[in-house]
């Protein structure tokens, strides 16, 4: 037949267009694929991400909620008792006067107000850093470990420093701050043990 060829199987003829299509197919199949398959696996960026232990999250929350409330009080209304155990008595440390041989609350002196404002801002900043570190991101590097180590040292120093003032606090207010300090001591232990003992997996590159 003109302009055609008989197929090898003898089942029909191939026209010029069929022959051209087969030639194009053969040529294209010899070229590398535009999307070659690969056996390489890409690790997910959070493949080894870890969240802090629950006990650490709880102690962090406990040592941030109350100090944040106190810090805001010290900035907005220094000396005003909060609905916390014995806080009305503890305010005798910052503003008091004698009435019938008894200490009673009085407006906070200007010098003390000045210092409390700086302390309030510092406390808010420290608590914000702790909350962001613990609750806002998955852990994939050693940065959080180093921050936990730092937090543990700070909480421990805070505990030791304020513990030294326990006798003074009792003498002037008639109440103890040991329950509050116990939370800081526990938090320091949790931070330090997590930073020093918990195994962290290196992030795959």
């Amino acid at each position: 037949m003109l302009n055609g060829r008989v197929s090898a199987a003898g089942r029909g003829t191939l026209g010029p267009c069929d022959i051209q299509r087969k030639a194009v197919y053969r040529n294209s199949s010899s070229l590398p694929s535009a999307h070659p398959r690969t056996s390489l696996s890409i690790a997910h960026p959070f493949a080894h991400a870890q969240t802090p232990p629950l006990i650490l999250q709880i102690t962090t929350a406990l040592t941030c909620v109350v100090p944040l409330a106190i810090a805001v009080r010290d900035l907005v209304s220094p000396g005003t008792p909060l609905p916390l155990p014995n806080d009305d008595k503890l305010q005798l440390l910052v503003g008091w006067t004698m009435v019938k041989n008894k200490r009673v609350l009085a407006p906070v002196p200007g010098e003390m107000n000045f210092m409390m404002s700086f302390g309030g801002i510092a406390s808010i900043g420290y608590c914000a850093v702790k909350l962001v570190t613990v609750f806002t991101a998955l852990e994939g590097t050693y940065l959080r470990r180093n921050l936990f180590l730092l937090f543990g040292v700070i909480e421990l120093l805070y505990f030791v420093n304020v513990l030294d003032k326990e006798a003074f606090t009792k003498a002037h207010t008639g109440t103890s701050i040991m329950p509050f300090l116990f939370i800081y001591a526990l938090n320091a232990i949790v931070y330090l043990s997590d930073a020093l003992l918990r195994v962290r997996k290196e992030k795959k590159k």
Side-chain angles (χ1 to χ4, degrees):
M1 177 179 254
L2 294 176
N3 299 328
R5 294 182 185 175
V6 178
S7 66
R11 285 182 260 177
T13 59
L14 297 176
C17 294
D18 298 321
I19 296 172
Q20 186 176 7
R21 279 197 295 268
K22 289 189 68 175
V24 172
Y25 176 78
R26 283 196 302 268
N27 293 336
S28 63
S29 63
S30 64
L31 296 175
S33 172
H35 302 284
R37 296 190 179 187
T38 178
S39 60
L40 296 178
S41 60
I42 301 176
H44 193 277
F46 297 130
H48 295 297
Q50 305 170 61
T51 55
L54 180 61
I55 181 64
L56 194 146
Q57 297 181 41
I58 293 173
T59 56
T60 297
L62 288 175
T63 54
C64 283
V65 173
V66 174
L68 279 174
I70 294 174
V72 172
R73 184 272 311 279
D74 291 346
L75 288 172
V76 177
S77 183
T80 302
L82 294 176
L84 297 171
N86 297 321
D87 192 58
D88 55 336
K89 297 178 181 178
L90 291 176
Q91 294 314 298
L92 292 172
L93 293 172
V94 296
W96 58 274
T97 188
M98 297 296 293
V99 175
K100 295 181 180 181
N101 296 325
K102 184 179 179 181
R103 293 175 186 268
V104 297
L105 290 176
V108 177
E111 300 86 348
M112 180 63 73
N113 194 357
F114 178 80
M115 297 304 298
M116 290 174 68
S117 64
F118 278 97
I121 293 174
S123 183
I124 290 174
Y126 177 55
C127 289
V129 172
K130 288 205 301 183
L131 291 173
V132 168
T133 302
V134 173
F135 293 105
T136 63
L138 291 172
E139 180 175 7
T141 67
Y142 292 102
L143 174 60
R144 182 175 285 173
R145 179 199 62 184
N146 297 341
L147 288 173
F148 285 171
L149 184 62
L150 178 63
F151 294 161
V153 172
I154 292 175
E155 310 272 292
L156 192 59
L157 290 175
Y158 181 89
F159 170 79
V160 172
N161 182 62
V162 181
L163 180 64
D164 187 56
K165 311 296 189 297
E166 167 70 2
F168 174 83
T169 302
K170 260 189 175 179
H172 283 73
T173 66
T175 188
S176 173
I177 55 175
M178 286 305 298
F180 188 67
L181 286 182
F182 173 76
I183 297 176
Y184 275 91
L186 175 62
N187 207 30
I189 294 172
V190 172
Y191 275 135
L192 292 174
S193 61
D194 184 87
L196 299 175
L197 302 178
R198 182 158 66 95
V199 177
R200 286 166 167 80
K201 296 179 181 179
E202 291 190 14
K203 192 165 57 176
K204 285 187 177 182
K205 297 182 180 179

